[in-house]
Amino acid sequence: MNPPQEHKMSSVRAVFFILGVLFLLLLLADLLLGSVIVPLKQIFLSIFSSEGSNATFRTIILEFRLPKAITAILTGAALSVSGLQMQTVFRNPLAGPFVLGISAGASLGVALFVLGFSSVFAFGVVTLTGAWPLAIVAWIGSFLVMLLVLYVSTRVNDIMTILILGILFTSAVSAIVSILQYFSNESMLKAFIIWTMGSLGSVTNAQLSVMAPAIILGIILAFFKIKDLNAFLLGENYARSLGVKIISSRIIIFLSTSLLAGTITAFCGPIGFIGIAVPHICRVIFKTSNHLVLVPAVILTGSIVMLFSDIVSQLPGMQTTLPINSVTAIIGIPIIMWMIIKNKKFASVS
């Protein structure tokens, strides 16, 4: 390794170390802050030892705040990796699960299952079906939209047209969901409206036991395709000349994206802007387009952004919690606006 490369690797390791420290601090703050301030000592006692811990604080930490913090970490990692993969495959800095309609596809699957099912069966029957059916319909919805986007991308080369079509897919899905809402009963409609606002605190332990393995599998698939993602940056023809099997590689990347975006949408609601903003933040911080660095970087940075968003949404010291979707929008929109203004710099993801 020559001196410039060694210097660059030292910088990358230093940035990872700083982000790691920031991650631990925000994780601790997320457990500490809320409507009730939990003493730092009680956090460690509750997690690592039952002896000497206050029963109330232990319940708050283990039953509510720790699962919510884990959900925030998984959400940030999943949406950021799926956004990075879409920006690379479509070679478009504005691509992401929310913009391309992938999250909308997962929302449609959930809406058809929850609202459509509730119009035929009682509310109790739907709630008893468990976490797996909810996740499966979200995966199917997101994967079908991904296949539709893939089909369009093979016929239309203009990336802006593909983005506009993605927005049209989202509008069409919203129209179908509106019709389902119109015919659904009052209790399911209220539950669905709250779900669309996004929430990290409503994920149950049973849902977390489905969510975590699905996201870990999606991230493993992303790591497995790092070499192909780097090749896609140079164009399909060049990637093919390097021995990349374009179709099979795309299918695996799309499966990974559907798993990641679909799982988050199913259990936390449609959460926007993280998938677009975080990959760009990492490219600026790490000054590289190498996915061997970017994939772990977006996992760490996405987790940090979601932990910070969760702390803000809790309004520490107050009894009210803001919808997480609103907080991520406030954080993500200025970054996207800055990206558009600096279009010359971000015209390419390579």
Side-chain angles (χ1 to χ4, degrees):
M1 186 180 292
N2 56 45
Q5 286 178 324
E6 191 173 341
H7 176 70
K8 190 174 182 179
M9 285 308 298
S10 298
S11 301
V12 168
R13 282 193 288 267
V15 175
F16 268 117
F17 176 77
I18 293 169
L19 289 178
V21 172
L22 184 60
F23 169 81
L24 291 175
L25 290 175
L26 285 172
L27 175 60
L28 202 58
D30 201 29
L31 297 174
L32 189 73
L33 302 173
S35 57
V36 175
I37 306 296
V38 178
L40 192 60
K41 182 181 177 183
Q42 287 296 328
I43 292 176
F44 288 103
L45 285 175
S46 299
I47 295 174
F48 299 110
S49 171
S50 59
E51 295 180 2
S53 63
N54 181 288
T56 304
F57 288 145
R58 185 178 172 80
T59 302
I60 290 173
I61 293 297
L62 296 185
E63 298 295 327
F64 298 99
R65 292 191 186 176
L66 187 59
K68 188 157 63 69
I70 293 172
T71 304
I73 293 168
L74 292 172
T75 301
L79 294 178
S80 301
V81 171
S82 61
L84 175 66
Q85 291 186 122
M86 289 301 91
Q87 288 173 11
T88 302
V89 169
F90 289 101
R91 302 182 69 195
N92 189 321
L94 291 177
F98 207 76
V99 175
L100 291 173
I102 300 162
S103 297
S107 299
L108 178 61
V110 174
L112 285 171
F113 179 71
V114 175
L115 299 179
F117 208 54
S118 69
S119 64
V120 180
F121 298 98
F123 176 81
V125 175
V126 178
T127 54
L128 286 173
T129 50
W132 280 104
L134 199 64
I136 290 170
V137 294
W139 294 334
I140 292 172
S142 59
F143 189 69
L144 289 177
V145 171
M146 287 230 57
L147 287 180
L148 193 57
V149 173
L150 177 63
Y151 173 74
V152 171
S153 68
T154 59
R155 291 181 167 268
V156 180
N157 291 324
D158 184 53
I159 54 178
M160 288 308 296
T161 305
I162 294 172
L163 284 182
I164 292 170
L165 287 172
I167 294 169
L168 290 176
F169 291 155
T170 304
S171 300
V173 167
S174 299
I176 296 171
V177 172
S178 297
I179 294 170
L180 289 170
Q181 287 176 322
Y182 183 78
F183 288 104
S184 64
N185 64 53
E186 187 178 341
S187 58
M188 294 306 295
L189 179 60
K190 183 180 177 182
F192 186 78
I193 294 295
I194 292 173
W195 172 81
T196 58
M197 294 178 183
S199 173
L200 302 175
S202 60
V203 178
T204 64
N205 288 333
Q207 291 174 335
L208 200 56
S209 66
V210 176
M211 185 177 169
I215 290 172
I216 290 170
L217 177 60
I219 289 175
I220 289 173
L221 289 175
F223 271 104
F224 183 64
K225 284 295 162 187
I226 279 177
K227 187 179 175 182
D228 292 359
L229 287 168
N230 281 336
F232 276 126
L233 288 175
L234 304 171
E236 282 190 8
N237 290 334
Y238 193 83
R240 195 176 284 109
S241 70
L242 292 176
V244 176
K245 295 178 180 176
I246 301 297
I247 300 298
S248 61
S249 185
R250 272 189 166 188
I251 288 174
I252 292 174
I253 292 170
F254 282 9
L255 274 173
S256 167
T257 302
S258 301
L259 266 178
L260 295 170
T263 304
I264 297 304
T265 305
F267 298 124
C268 303
I271 297 175
F273 305 106
I274 297 295
I276 294 181
V278 170
H280 289 293
I281 293 173
C282 291
R283 288 190 189 97
V284 171
I285 294 176
F286 288 89
K287 296 181 175 60
T288 182
S289 57
N290 185 353
H291 287 75
L292 193 61
V293 175
L294 282 180
V295 172
V298 297
I299 291 172
L300 189 56
T301 309
S303 302
I304 289 171
V305 172
M306 279 309 298
L307 282 171
F308 178 73
S309 301
D310 188 36
I311 292 168
V312 173
S313 72
Q314 291 179 82
L315 297 173
M318 301 179 68
Q319 299 295 327
T320 308
T321 301
L322 296 174
I324 195 70
N325 224 343
S326 304
V327 179
T328 57
I330 291 170
I331 295 172
I333 287 176
I335 295 172
I336 295 169
M337 289 176 65
W338 172 68
M339 182 182 67
I340 292 171
I341 292 169
K342 297 285 184 182
N343 189 44
K344 288 183 179 177
K345 188 173 182 179
F346 290 94
S348 170
V349 296
S350 59

